[in-house]
Amino acid sequence: MAPPTFSLVSLVSFPFETVYVRSIVAVSLYVSLCAVLASTLVSLPVALLVGFNDFPGKGLLTAAINTGMGFPSVVVGLVVLFAVSSQGPLGELELMFTREAMIFSQFVLATPPITAISLAAIDGVDGGVRDAARALGGTRLDVALVTLREARYGIATAVLAGFGRAISEVGSVLIVGGNIAGVDGISKTRTLTTAIQLEARQGRYETAMVLGVVLVVLVLVVNGIVVRIGDGGVR
């Protein structure tokens, strides 16, 4: 078999290539950002409740959260697919092969790392900070806000880790989204990762490389944000 060849001419000749790539990037960012935002709104209160309270089974719950960080994405996709199918509990919402189903799937995948890393950051805050806040007459909300402030670097890292997990996902979004694009090249449920897989399998290596570069750039931007926050935290 001859090795694949790459030609800028063939890339430019594709009439809706630019629209195609832009729509895929837009869908990827929309789905991932919505999933991470929803996950953060759920994960932070859970991390605060677990971190601020001692109760029977806390160690088991923490272990379950940490285990969820490595949960197979294809299994998540199958569970979500069943939930949104016509026979599933959410079948009446008609979410099969929609962006909303993809957000649901990525929410499930992003929540464990955001919760686990946020919990570790909250637990790592010196107990003297909480005691000082209480001594100054702070309410439970004040103590929580002070703790969040001290743990902000770890929490930011948690959110970015969740975003990285979401935007690099292939299996679950492929199952629940269907990797759909219109005949005009506009993506409906096709993301960067699923598009790379499809384009490479169809021999459109130039387009796959463009999408791969875009994905790498997004990952580098995320890593750059983490490093910048870390440098600021050290200073």
Side-chain angles (χ1 to χ4, degrees), residues 23-39:
S23 65
I24 289 174
V25 173
V27 170
S28 297
L29 289 176
Y30 171 76
V31 170
S32 298
L33 289 175
C34 288
V36 171
L37 177 60
S39 178

Side-chain angles (χ1 to χ4, degrees), residues 20 46 139 171 231:
Y20 178 66
V46 171
T139 63
D231 292 342

Side-chain angles (χ1 to χ4, degrees), residues 49-68:
L49 288 174
V50 176
F52 272 60
N53 298 281
D54 292 323
F55 52 88
K58 178 178 178 179
L60 181 61
L61 177 59
T62 303
I65 293 173
N66 292 330
T67 301

Side-chain angles (χ1 to χ4, degrees), residues 16-182:
F16 49 78
E17 193 71 48
T18 301
V19 176
Y20 178 66
V21 173
R22 287 180 178 177
S23 65
I24 289 174
V25 173
V27 170
S28 297
L29 289 176
Y30 171 76
V31 170
S32 298
L33 289 175
C34 288
V36 171
L37 177 60
S39 178
T40 301
L41 294 177
V42 172
S43 298
L44 285 185
V46 171
L48 282 171
L49 288 174
V50 176
F52 272 60
N53 298 281
D54 292 323
F55 52 88
K58 178 178 178 179
L60 181 61
L61 177 59
T62 303
I65 293 173
N66 292 330
T67 301
M69 296 175 64
F71 205 71
S73 61
V74 291
V75 176
V76 173
L78 287 174
V79 172
V80 174
L81 182 65
F82 168 75
V84 302
S85 65
S86 57
Q87 293 81 19
L90 302 178
E92 295 182 357
L93 300 178
E94 298 182 353
L95 298 177
M96 179 78 78
F97 302 138
T98 63
R99 298 178 188 179
E100 287 72 21
M102 297 163 65
I103 292 173
F104 186 18
S105 176
Q106 290 194 0
F107 167 83
V108 175
L109 290 171
T111 297
I114 294 178
T115 305
I117 300 174
S118 296
L119 178 58
I122 291 171
D123 286 339
V125 175
D126 190 349
V129 174
R130 303 182 190 179
D131 295 338
R134 295 190 187 98
L136 293 173
T139 63
R140 288 179 62 87
L141 178 60
D142 294 328
V143 175
L145 292 176
V146 170
T147 303
L148 287 176
R149 177 180 174 81
E150 293 297 318
R152 62 188 181 276
Y153 169 58
I155 293 173
T157 302
V159 174
L160 293 172
F163 176 76
R165 176 80 190 270
I167 201 167
S168 62
E169 177 52 36
V170 181
S172 65
V173 294
L174 184 63
I175 292 174
V176 303
N179 200 23
I180 302 171

Side-chain angles (χ1 to χ4, degrees), residues 186-206:
I186 302 296
S187 170
K188 298 185 182 300
T189 61
R190 186 168 298 175
T191 64
L192 284 166
T193 51
T194 59
I196 290 171
Q197 181 189 50
L198 177 65
E199 299 298 335
R201 291 182 60 183
Q202 291 184 345
R204 291 177 42 79
Y205 301 106
E206 297 89 349

